[in-house]
Amino acid sequence: MTADRLLRAALFFALTTTGLLAHDDEAHHWDEPFDFPDLPGYLTLVSDLHQHSVFSDGAVWPTIRVQESKRDGIEVMALTEHLEYQPHAADIPHPDRNRSFHLAHDHAQDDLLVVTGAEVTRSMPPGHINAIFIEDANRLIMDDPMAVAQEATRQGGFLFWNHPMWLPQKPDGVSELTPLHEQMIAAKVLHGIEVVNHGRYSEEALQIALDHDLTIMGTSDVHGLIAWEYETYPHLHRPVTLIFAEAQTAPAVREALFDHRTVVWYTDTLIGRQRWVEPLTRACLDIAPVGYPNDHLALKVVVSNSSSTPFTLRNRSAYALHRTADIFRVPAHGQITLEFKTREKLEAVDLSFEVLNAIIAPATHPTLTWEKLTVGTDASAAAEH
Ligand SMILES: [Zn+2]
Ligand SMILES: [Zn+2]
């Protein structure tokens, strides 16, 4: 253990023992790349599509963003420099606004897709809007925000409204569409919305996405170092958007975003449309009724989690749990053993769980049923003491 890791471990211990951290299994975020299982027909790509470098108001060179992404297991990234806010321009003159993209792109290896991007940076309305998959950021420097959005869309861009809950632009923190946003949505030049930005979640933004067919996005909007901004209480990991794409290529990722195939992962919570949260949860969790140990009528069920997020589940099955309370946690990349009082020996069983760390609409958590699970014959593991 290095001194740095020792220090982190000591900090983690201090936080957990003082109750500042509710959980005991977050430590892996500090060491492991983010990892989520693929879905049938789709790769699950971990993306962070809103980041800054010294080419706008960020504090690092673009290649550092690439290295951070590699460390975190990010598979798709964009540098989205402010077009209109260039505080380092005197020290780092760069007439070509695509420069940070090229530096990052040339530094990245095959396992990281770097796509083009820029942040249109206006007061409200419309506030800040990211345009990614654009051809040329230089041609987006113009006055009228509607004209910028039209040009970015004409270039093939995917545009999303950044931090609609940001207090400096919306002092009540309540994300709300303005008439200009409604015009942009109607003109199909605004395609997504950040439901999560940095350390902010907006359930109003989630509702806007659902009501107006916008893609649900979550990003770090990092300016400093990821390691300093996200790996201590309370964020623990940078917010990312999981994208379900047919390939790790710009056209496939772009198509997935226009098709709303996203789930945001933020503070160990999955936020997205039920259509994608549900298959992702099913891919992460394996629920295995292994048998009735010792001939007792308590069905032993092993729940395994193959993902980077812990799950918090509530039992909604027809059977009560033995030992465990109705709400329990499945650690990231870990497993737990449950016992269900089925009252008779079953050969197959339906088990239902409400996924409390998944959000499919404001304050709404999905309940998933695993149907007709075959009960195994493993009667070996004695559980009762
Ligand atoms: Zn912004
Ligand atoms: Zn930004």
Side-chain angles (χ1 to χ4, degrees):
M1 187 178 276
T2 64
D4 181 47
R5 290 188 60 185
L6 195 65
L7 188 68
R8 287 176 168 200
L11 175 67
F12 184 73
F13 179 77
L15 287 169
T16 47
T17 51
T18 53
L20 283 172
L21 280 181
H23 316 129
D24 60 1
D25 51 17
E26 275 84 353
H28 77 278
H29 294 318
W30 292 340
D31 302 305
E32 308 272 333
F34 306 158
D35 181 26
F36 288 84
D38 295 330
L39 304 187
Y42 296 110
L43 299 175
T44 299
L45 298 175
V46 183
S47 79
D48 186 356
L49 297 169
H50 186 169
Q51 305 187 52
H52 296 274
S53 79
V54 289
F55 286 84
S56 59
D57 59 344
V60 306
W61 194 253
T63 54
I64 298 295
R65 293 287 177 242
V66 171
Q67 292 170 24
E68 288 173 328
S69 291
K70 258 187 120 58
R71 181 174 169 271
D72 278 351
I74 303 289
E75 294 160 300
V76 188
M77 64 164 275
L79 292 175
T80 50
E81 312 295 359
H82 297 286
L83 288 173
E84 299 86 349
Y85 182 52
Q86 294 274 308
H88 305 321
D91 294 314
I92 305 171
H94 56 288
D96 179 5
R97 297 306 187 84
N98 304 310
R99 184 67 183 141
S100 70
F101 161 75
H102 287 299
L103 287 165
H105 182 265
D106 293 351
H107 190 70
Q109 313 283 323
D110 286 347
D111 52 354
L112 173 63
L113 174 67
V114 182
V115 303
T116 55
E119 181 166 9
V120 184
T121 309
R122 305 298 173 95
S123 55
M124 283 276 260
H128 299 188
I129 292 174
N130 266 0
I132 55 174
F133 302 108
I134 51 175
E135 289 169 359
D136 183 2
N138 299 304
R139 285 191 274 132
L140 299 183
I141 300 172
M142 55 178 96
D143 286 342
D144 177 18
M146 186 57 142
V148 179
Q150 284 165 339
E151 168 59 18
T153 303
R154 197 199 60 72
Q155 290 185 16
F158 173 84
L159 280 70
F160 56 97
W161 184 13
N162 297 337
H163 46 71
M165 71 301 271
W166 189 39
L167 296 174
Q169 288 195 328
K170 194 69 170 60
D172 61 7
V174 178
S175 304
E176 273 176 304
L177 294 176
T178 67
L180 179 56
H181 293 106
E182 284 169 359
Q183 272 177 33
M184 287 177 156
I185 292 168
K188 299 195 185 319
V189 298
L190 187 60
H191 314 111
I193 184 169
E194 283 184 346
V195 166
V196 171
N197 172 281
H198 195 265
R200 316 171 183 97
Y201 161 63
S202 167
E203 58 182 26
E204 295 87 7
L206 176 59
Q207 191 62 55
I208 289 170
L210 298 174
D211 290 345
H212 296 270
D213 282 335
L214 299 177
T215 302
I216 294 166
M217 304 293 293
T219 67
S220 71
D221 198 0
V222 67
H223 288 74
L225 287 169
I226 285 284
W228 288 1
E229 291 194 13
Y230 292 100
E231 296 191 358
T232 52
Y233 176 84
H235 304 306
L236 299 167
H237 63 83
R238 72 164 102 185
V240 292
T241 304
L242 306 178
I243 302 174
F244 310 106
E246 287 173 12
Q248 193 185 3
T249 62
V253 171
R254 181 178 174 279
E255 180 193 288
L257 288 174
F258 273 104
D259 198 28
H260 306 153
R261 282 182 245 141
T262 62
V263 169
V264 170
W265 183 46
Y266 171 61
T267 58
D268 289 339
T269 303
L270 299 170
I271 306 162
R273 288 178 162 78
Q274 178 156 16
R275 180 178 159 215
W276 296 108
V277 167
E278 178 165 339
L280 177 65
T281 303
R282 288 185 187 279
C284 294
L285 295 178
D286 178 65
I287 310 224
V290 295
Y292 288 92
N294 294 341
D295 251 1
H296 294 149
L297 296 182
L299 173 62
K300 178 178 159 186
V301 174
V302 176
V303 180
S304 307
N305 175 7
S306 62
S307 80
S308 286
T309 189
F311 278 87
T312 305
L313 304 181
R314 171 183 280 161
N315 180 32
R316 296 292 195 190
S317 310
Y319 318 103
L321 284 160
H322 185 54
R323 295 171 176 274
T324 319
D326 67 317
I327 295 175
F328 56 89
R329 228 164 130 76
V330 189
H333 290 296
Q335 64 178 43
I336 58 162
T337 301
L338 304 173
E339 288 170 78
F340 286 91
K341 292 178 282 190
T342 59
R343 297 172 185 241
E344 57 178 322
K345 283 197 179 176
L346 304 172
E347 292 182 349
V349 66
D350 289 354
L351 296 175
S352 299
F353 302 100
E354 186 176 1
V355 186
L356 294 175
N357 65 305
I359 297 174
I360 53 173
T364 306
H365 313 291
T367 295
L368 273 58
T369 298
W370 279 257
E371 288 179 344
K372 297 191 175 67
L373 296 168
T374 303
V375 175
T377 54
D378 177 4
S380 57
E384 198 72 30
H385 299 286

